[in-house]
Amino acid sequence: MFEVIIGLEVHVQLNTKTKIFCSCATSFAQRQNIHTCPVCLGLPGALPVLNIEAVKKAMMFGNAVNATINKKSVFNRKNYFYPDLPKGYQISQFEIPIVENGYLMIDFDDGSQKRIGITRAHLEEDAGKNIHEGDRSLVDLNRAGTPLLEIVSEPDMRSADEAVRYLKKLHAIVRYLDISDANMQEGSFRCDVNVSIRPKGDDKLYTRVEIKNMNSFRFIQQAIAYEVQRQIEAWEDGIYEDEVWQETRLFDTAKGETRSMRGKEESADYRYFPEPDLLPVTLSDEMIEEAKDIPEMPDAKRERYVKQFGIREYDATVTTSEVEMARFFEAMIEKGISAKNAVTWLTVELLGRLNKAGLTLENSPVNAKKLAETVKRIEDGTISGKAAKQVLDYLFEHQEESVDGAIEKLGLKQVSDDAAILELIDKVLSSNKEKVEEYRGGKEKLFGFFVGQVMKISKGSANPAKVNQLLKERLNS
Ligand code: ZN
Ligand code: MN
């Protein structure tokens, strides 16, 4: 039996307005190479100036993961050549990163949690992009110099599932802090996975293989599964030493397998040395104090939801799992509906429909206010829960329609008027005289039959609670 050891390095693009060492914009550019200047082009004589906003965001992250913020940290040059890196080195942090020794808790479906250590988080600049077109390659430096926070975990994860749970939690934290848009498709939240195996009970660490630049939870899961299987098979076949060596691999999403890219560099290969053009970063007490002011994080929010709204722990985990979800939930609660109903209608009914349509909460055709109003119409007896699902379907297709407008159009208003319901009841009882006798003679099971008949002739529009109440009165009188 083998144990799987996984550590992750995540690069998060910080959402500052300008780049980390110059005042070029980080926003979307209409053309290649227009958000550039002598600094990010690496022209001789140009000097970097540190963007304090990037520093502040890194400090906020440190506080969110219970880490040490180093009062003094140092920038280094990481030397390597690649066409998208015009200076020939990346400015990064090496011996003394700004953030060290933190942790976060990952959530399992049964409500339990596991602590995953965060070794460090350091600031660095992003490289540009190489664009390959047929037999030529082009370089776009708009991204060069964009601030990155590289977050390095301890090798604390024991399965692909745990790795994905860690990434989801990290993603949520970064979005809660609003320090990055963390858009995975666009590469502002990307991940390198380190995977090794060892026989269970062994506490030695064996050769780790790095899978680079993953930007989808599903692919990360698949890549780890493939890589673990490859290593285990090599071990069992007695060719572990030949097949598994320290290297960087790429995940081929079409074939579902990892492929060797290059031998993994040791840090010594990069000839790190202190960046002579930047002073060490020294944080004032005031800055350190200010960075402690961060929004409520998912774990704290989860605990509060359980206490304040009395919802189940599992539901609280789901509703706090992403900041958009928490915002949506809170906006629903503000409309004065029950928290339990808000959870069900958000996580089951709305999310179910969104998933089916390939949509997310951000582009949901039904907003929090409308979903809450729909629930409110169940709670005040205007419509049944079943009818509310039809209303939701309708609102999904007709964004401009109001909740009451949809109820009206679909003719779903419940009949709660006593006289109207009694009329229906009497109709049912008079055409089932024998059954009424049997009921009165003690066959109480028949009650459900009468309810069903009344609902049937009302075409489902009668308020079931009212039907029950009035039927009981009539039959027992
Ligand atoms: Zn620039
Ligand atoms: Mn890096």
Side-chain angles (χ1 to χ4, degrees):
M1 277 304 275
F2 291 92
E3 184 172 43
V4 179
I5 316 284
I6 300 168
L8 298 170
E9 290 166 26
V10 176
H11 284 90
V12 174
Q13 221 173 67
L14 298 176
N15 57 359
T16 55
K17 289 197 178 65
T18 55
K19 294 184 179 179
I20 186 167
F21 299 121
C22 62
S23 54
C24 291
T26 52
S27 54
F28 175 79
Q30 296 292 340
R31 267 188 306 118
Q32 284 76 37
N33 296 306
I34 53 171
H35 290 175
T36 55
C37 73
V39 174
C40 54
L41 290 174
L43 299 186
L47 291 173
V49 177
L50 179 60
N51 181 346
I52 193 158
E53 293 305 318
V55 175
K56 285 182 181 168
K57 287 175 197 265
M59 292 168 76
M60 284 170 71
F61 174 76
N63 283 322
V65 296
N66 320 291
T68 305
I69 314 269
N70 285 325
K71 237 187 139 171
K72 187 182 153 186
S73 61
V74 175
F75 280 104
N76 298 78
R77 289 187 179 181
K78 179 180 180 179
N79 299 282
Y80 67 92
F81 171 78
Y82 208 60
D84 60 12
L85 186 71
K87 295 197 300 295
Y89 58 85
Q90 178 194 31
I91 303 179
S92 180
Q93 296 190 306
F94 187 53
E95 285 104 344
I96 316 177
I98 184 160
V99 169
E100 271 182 303
N101 294 325
Y103 68 87
L104 59 74
M105 305 300 288
I106 58 173
D107 306 294
F108 297 102
D109 290 343
D110 65 359
S112 65
Q113 292 191 315
K114 176 181 170 180
R115 178 187 165 124
I116 307 291
I118 290 175
T119 318
R120 56 184 279 154
H122 65 252
L123 284 164
E124 61 184 31
E125 57 180 338
D126 208 345
K129 274 182 190 162
N130 294 329
I131 303 156
H132 306 288
E133 276 180 5
D135 59 356
R136 62 178 190 166
S137 289
L138 303 162
V139 180
D140 176 12
L141 294 172
N142 280 335
R143 198 182 66 180
T146 300
L148 295 177
L149 188 63
E150 179 176 336
I151 302 157
V152 183
S153 84
E154 291 289 305
D156 286 347
M157 287 148 277
R158 294 289 170 270
S159 65
D161 176 65
E162 287 188 12
V164 169
R165 287 178 194 276
Y166 168 82
L167 286 169
K168 285 190 172 162
K169 194 59 172 279
L170 192 63
H171 189 265
I173 288 172
V174 165
R175 296 277 302 120
Y176 266 77
L177 289 168
D178 193 23
I179 58 172
S180 170
D181 68 17
N183 186 317
M184 294 182 80
Q185 282 89 37
E186 289 169 14
S188 41
F189 186 96
R190 46 193 204 257
C191 164
D192 304 336
V193 188
N194 286 295
V195 185
S196 67
I197 57 162
R198 68 183 171 202
K200 266 221 166 93
D202 199 339
D203 55 10
K204 189 179 141 192
L205 287 174
Y206 289 81
T207 309
R208 67 187 161 99
V209 168
E210 182 184 47
I211 314 166
K212 247 197 151 33
N213 260 331
M214 313 277 304
N215 64 353
S216 124
F217 293 134
R218 192 163 55 92
F219 290 151
I220 289 164
Q221 182 112 26
Q222 289 173 4
I224 294 173
Y226 178 88
E227 185 55 28
V228 166
Q229 199 50 37
R230 188 183 73 87
Q231 294 184 20
I232 289 175
E233 275 170 21
W235 189 297
E236 287 172 340
D237 295 345
I239 48 171
Y240 179 80
E241 307 279 322
D242 308 318
E243 291 285 321
V244 181
W245 46 291
Q246 190 167 325
E247 63 173 340
T248 297
R249 295 176 76 88
L250 276 185
F251 182 62
D252 183 329
T253 53
K255 290 193 178 135
E257 54 190 47
T258 63
R259 224 186 12 239
S260 187
M261 182 166 100
R262 57 165 194 255
K264 167 76 178 153
E265 306 77 9
E266 300 283 348
S267 61
D269 298 331
Y270 289 113
R271 301 291 186 270
Y272 280 99
F273 65 86
E275 164 61 65
D277 292 337
L278 286 166
L279 289 169
V281 184
T282 312
L283 305 172
S284 66
D285 293 335
E286 206 185 326
M287 267 186 88
I288 289 178
E289 231 12 77
E290 257 172 42
K292 287 182 184 157
D293 184 22
I294 56 171
E296 186 179 39
M297 289 293 104
D299 285 354
K301 210 181 257 303
R302 177 174 87 144
E303 210 174 298
R304 179 167 67 82
Y305 280 9
V306 171
K307 266 196 211 132
Q308 189 178 340
F309 304 128
I311 60 175
R312 291 186 307 158
E313 204 150 87
Y314 173 78
D315 291 333
T317 304
V318 174
T319 43
T320 56
S321 62
E322 281 289 353
V323 70
E324 293 79 14
M325 186 94 100
R327 274 193 208 126
F328 205 101
F329 176 73
E330 286 178 23
M332 286 181 76
I333 294 283
E334 264 171 36
K335 293 276 153 204
I337 59 170
S338 96
K340 197 168 160 276
N341 282 339
V343 168
T344 310
W345 283 83
L346 168 56
T347 64
V348 181
E349 298 301 334
L350 183 64
L351 285 191
R353 283 167 176 78
L354 289 172
N355 284 339
K356 224 189 224 163
L359 296 169
T360 62
L361 271 185
E362 286 119 304
N363 49 30
S364 168
V366 177
N367 62 24
K369 187 171 157 260
K370 269 193 193 171
L371 188 59
E373 276 170 9
T374 308
V375 175
K376 207 164 196 161
R377 289 290 170 257
I378 308 172
E379 292 183 353
D380 69 13
T382 308
I383 52 172
S384 66
K386 207 172 139 202
K389 291 179 189 179
Q390 281 173 258
V391 170
L392 190 50
D393 285 334
Y394 187 83
L395 292 173
F396 228 73
E397 300 299 323
H398 303 84
Q399 272 195 65
E400 69 297 336
E401 190 60 87
S402 68
V403 173
D404 288 340
I407 294 172
E408 197 68 50
K409 276 213 175 99
L410 297 168
L412 292 169
K413 219 178 200 143
Q414 281 191 139
V415 178
S416 300
D417 170 47
D418 283 14
I421 292 177
L422 278 172
E423 202 175 298
L424 297 173
I425 288 176
D426 289 339
K427 218 185 244 172
V428 168
L429 298 187
S430 63
S431 55
N432 291 283
K433 288 206 171 85
E434 273 170 38
K435 288 207 163 74
V436 172
E437 285 313 307
E438 285 176 46
Y439 176 85
R440 289 192 168 130
K443 204 171 172 190
E444 292 190 2
K445 271 198 313 205
L446 280 168
F447 189 75
F449 164 79
F450 296 124
V451 173
Q453 290 300 306
V454 174
M455 293 306 292
K456 196 173 161 196
I457 63 169
S458 83
K459 297 194 179 76
S461 71
N463 180 333
K466 268 270 177 320
V467 171
N468 268 279
Q469 179 211 329
L470 294 172
L471 193 55
K472 213 162 259 168
E473 285 171 19
R474 263 295 196 270
L475 285 166
N476 297 336
S477 64

